[in-house]
Structure formats: structure tokens, C-alpha cells
Amino acid sequence: MPQPAARLSVFTESVIRGMTRLANRHSAINLSQGFPDFDPPSELLAALHKATDGPHHQYAVTWGAPRFREALAKKITHFTGIPVDPDQHLVVTCGGTEAMMVAMMTACNPGDKVVIFSPFYESYGADAILAGAEPIFVPLRPPDFSYSLAELRKAFEQRPKALILCNPSNPTGKVFTMKEMQEIAALAEEFDVYVITDEPYEHIVYAPGKHISFATLPGMMDRTITCNSLSKTYSITGWRLGYVMASASVIAQARKVHDFLTVGAAAPLQEAAVTALEFPDSYYDELLASYDNKRSVFIQCLERVGLSFTRPAGAYYVMVDISPLGFKTDTGAAEWMTKEIGVAGVPGSSFFREVENRYLRFHFAKKEETLLAAGERLMKIRQR
Ligand code: GLN
């Protein structure tokens, strides 16, 4: 029999989504795959009803419905100051995951190298392999997940085509400092490299931090391919709405990749999401305040249990050190915790290039009561 493509043997199915299936099978509280257990804003749901009653049931423009792109461009300009032309600088995708794949296929030829910080969000490795590119991993070292500039420079000396920057970072909760971003920008310029950024948590950066879009750094707009998503900002992970923002010449190519990958994102959902993109600033303040509270609640649970962790500066994930539990592998620990304790997290090893069995990643995009219930279940760990 013919064999499937060899490149598929080099990566696995998503460990994150596998943990969700395991959590569901065991009725565990699912703090693995990062998505809310609360509803999106009610105005957005009303807009969805209206959109489905309206004439939005056929293909939207491949690179995004005009009304959606116009609202998106305005929102981006409002928050970043970047003068976004909706007709030239945007491609609307099926979620941030497609955006990353489009960016990678747009930037890289087979054989090109791509710098990826480790730990990294799991799709980057797969994206690189599917695009025929070869990852060069640069470690982010715990507890603060900082990189060594010398190691980063060595990676650039291997002449990569692109670097992937997830900021705020999934899975670590790290928010890159201005100094770090300037270092990356200087290297990108010196070695003529694209910076592919993944910024779905842009509105979840805790005080005193502030989100800085990499494309706003001096001279970086033309070499940055910004990937983003509406999933986290508006609590609509199932809508699969994301986008790529880049210079007109990059977008002209990215449109082709997107066109033949998926044709387009769902038309009625783009129509409805215009309402979200027009929310006032107070929406984003409330979103952040609510996540700040969830972070405190969950962190206090972890403290009561007595586990150590790196306090996230952004996003809604926390890497928890489970080494005191004495498991040989983090996968074993994750399975035990799901089945016996009733709380699911993601084995940290699925994010690291290095062999690393010390962490489970939990997310706290859940109602306060869910987090407290998870905290109560986690207390049973102390009896181990
Ligand atoms: N970004 C979320 C996570 O890291 C969900 C990813 C997904 O399943 N698309 O858990």
C-alpha cells in the first residue's frame, strides 16, 4: 500500500486537544485547552442572531468580508497606531492557527530555517514542518523564561528566513520586554529575517505591563507578519476568526495561500463580529480586569496546594512545577491528575524542545466558581 507523507511522522496530533478529549472522558475540570466556560458578550450574540437571519450565507470575499476588514483595520489602528489599509494589509483567516500556517507558507521556502523560542505553542513546530522549513530552537529559561542574547545571535547566524514570536507567550505567560523586542528587531534587520508574531492575548497583559505590537517598532512593519485572532479577546474560540496583518506586498502573497487553504472564514460570523470590533475601550478594560481576577483566584489555589509556578505577566496560562509529585513523566502526571484528581492540564513537555518533565500548563479562562472547584480538587494532591 502507498504510505502517507513522511513529514507526518515527525509530529503528533495536538497534545492540547488530546487532553480535552481525556478531560471529557473523565468529567475532569478542563484547564488544558485554553477556552472560556462563559458566554461571549450578549451584544455579540444578538449580532450573531441578526447575521444569521440576514443575507450572509454564501462565500465572503476570500481575504475577508469588507465590513469586517474595515472594522478590524479601525480597531487595530486605534490600539496600535498602525495605519492599516483594510484592502491591502489584512487577510481574514479561520482562526489564529490558519493565520500562522499562512504566515509560514508565505515566508518560507522548503529548506528555510525558522527560529522558534522553546517552550513554544505546539502548532509552530508542525507549521514549520508542513511548510518544509527547519526549526532552530532557542531556549527560554525558567523561572522568568528569558533567552540568552548570545544564543539568539547564534541562531540568526544560521541564516534563518523567519523568527516566530508569541507575545504574550503561550504557554509561559511571559511578556517580552521592550529591550528584548529591540534586540530581536536589531537581529532581524541585521540578518534580513521576517518576524512572524502571534498576538492573540494582546488585550490580556497585566499591570504594570503593556502590550507592544512588534510591528510598531521602528522599521519593523515591513518585515513583520502579525498573526492574531478574535478567539480570546471576545471569548469566541469556536468561531474560528483570525487574521494576518502585514505589508501590502506580503499580503498579496498571503492571500493566495489562504485562498487555496480554506477559501475563507465563515461569512455570518464575520458579519456578527463587526459588532465586537466596534466595542468601546471599556470592554477591553473589563476583559483585563476579569482575567486579572481569575489569575489571582487561580494563583491563590496553587499557593494553597503548595505548588510552585511562574506568575504569568500576560495571557491566561500558568506553568506549574509538578516535580514534587514524583512522577517520571509529565504525561503520566497529567493523566493521573485528570483521572484521579479531576483536573486536566497539558504536559509541559509538549511545548519544549528540550527534554522537560517538570511542568503542567493550566489555563484560567474559566468562571471563578470553576477555578475554585478546580482548586478544591487540587488540594487532594497533598495526600499523595
Ligand atoms: N490556544 C489554546 C491553547 O493553547 C487553544 C488552542 C487550540 O486548540 N486551537 O490551549
Side-chain angles (χ1 to χ4, degrees):
M1 287 298 285
Q3 291 298 305
R7 62 176 171 266
L8 297 175
S9 62
V10 204
F11 61 95
T12 65
E13 276 186 50
S14 159
V15 177
I16 297 175
R17 294 185 278 280
M19 282 311 302
T20 281
R21 291 192 292 274
L22 189 73
N24 291 345
R25 272 204 298 283
H26 295 277
S27 304
I29 296 176
N30 187 4
L31 305 187
S32 61
Q33 188 181 17
F35 63 88
D37 66 347
F38 45 89
D39 282 336
S42 53
E43 303 92 300
L44 182 50
L45 294 181
L48 177 61
H49 288 288
K50 201 164 152 225
T52 53
D53 283 344
H56 307 286
H57 300 288
Q58 311 308 327
Y59 302 121
V61 173
T62 290
W63 54 90
R67 249 169 67 72
F68 180 90
R69 271 183 291 116
E70 271 158 33
L72 179 59
K74 269 198 197 127
K75 186 236 166 201
I76 299 172
T77 303
H78 175 71
F79 281 104
T80 65
I82 298 170
V84 185
D85 179 338
D87 294 325
Q88 295 205 62
H89 298 142
L90 294 172
V91 180
V92 180
T93 57
C94 299
T97 301
E98 191 210 330
M100 284 302 297
M101 192 69 228
V102 166
M104 196 78 92
M105 306 259 316
T106 302
C108 293
N109 287 308
D112 281 345
K113 292 178 177 147
V114 178
V115 179
I116 302 178
F117 289 110
S118 167
F120 58 97
Y121 178 55
E122 59 175 18
S123 72
Y124 307 157
D127 289 346
I129 292 159
L130 287 171
E134 189 196 319
I136 308 171
F137 292 98
V138 174
L140 294 174
R141 296 217 164 74
D144 62 343
F145 295 103
S146 54
Y147 61 79
S148 133
L149 184 55
E151 281 176 342
L152 188 60
R153 169 165 276 280
K154 270 211 182 106
F156 274 89
E157 282 166 357
Q158 294 181 53
R159 298 280 160 188
K161 188 70 178 296
L163 169 138
I164 299 181
L165 180 70
C166 183
N167 186 37
S169 153
N170 178 2
T172 63
K174 174 185 174 69
V175 173
F176 282 77
T177 63
M178 187 51 138
K179 180 172 168 279
E180 288 175 321
M181 291 212 277
Q182 283 167 342
E183 286 169 357
I184 294 166
L187 286 167
E189 202 151 78
E190 181 182 344
F191 292 93
D192 198 16
V193 167
Y194 282 118
V195 177
I196 299 175
T197 71
D198 190 14
E199 306 181 23
Y201 306 96
E202 63 183 327
H203 294 290
I204 312 178
V205 175
Y206 306 104
K210 232 181 139 346
H211 179 67
I212 301 159
S213 272
F214 193 80
T216 62
L217 267 71
M220 286 300 115
M221 179 60 196
D222 282 350
R223 64 174 69 253
T224 304
I225 307 178
T226 303
C227 298
N228 212 325
S229 146
L230 277 65
S231 292
K232 280 42 189 207
T233 304
Y234 306 111
S235 307
I236 47 171
T237 62
W239 289 28
R240 315 306 305 128
L241 287 178
Y243 62 92
V244 179
M245 177 184 75
S247 66
S249 60
V250 169
I251 286 299
Q253 304 308 318
R255 278 183 185 181
K256 295 191 274 184
V257 180
H258 161 73
D259 195 1
F260 290 107
L261 274 180
T262 63
V263 179
L269 299 177
Q270 291 187 62
E271 173 61 25
V274 169
T275 294
L277 293 167
E278 291 174 347
F279 281 160
D281 284 0
S282 57
Y283 171 78
Y284 302 92
D285 297 340
E286 284 159 25
L287 179 85
L288 179 59
S290 137
Y291 274 111
D292 207 353
N293 178 57
K294 292 176 195 306
R295 180 178 67 150
S296 309
V297 168
F298 192 58
I299 276 178
Q300 279 164 26
C301 292
L302 293 172
E303 281 167 350
R304 275 199 294 277
V305 177
L307 291 171
S308 50
F309 55 87
T310 300
R311 189 184 172 83
Y316 52 50
Y317 304 97
V318 53
M319 292 291 258
V320 178
D321 185 347
I322 42 117
S323 51
L325 301 182
F327 282 90
K328 264 209 202 81
T329 66
D330 58 356
T331 311
E335 281 178 16
W336 172 81
M337 210 172 277
T338 305
K339 293 179 189 167
E340 305 301 329
I341 301 293
V343 179
V346 182
S349 55
S350 62
F351 302 104
F352 280 88
R353 169 64 172 175
E354 310 79 55
V355 177
E356 180 56 88
N357 274 302
R358 218 178 345 149
Y359 298 103
L360 288 188
R361 187 202 76 172
F362 292 105
H363 82 90
F364 49 85
K366 291 284 180 264
K367 294 178 196 153
E368 189 170 334
E369 70 210 54
T370 311
L371 296 173
L372 291 171
E376 220 160 277
R377 290 185 184 191
L378 287 173
M379 285 302 274
K380 286 186 274 172
I381 288 176
R382 292 163 65 103
Q383 290 151 23
R384 191 181 146 82

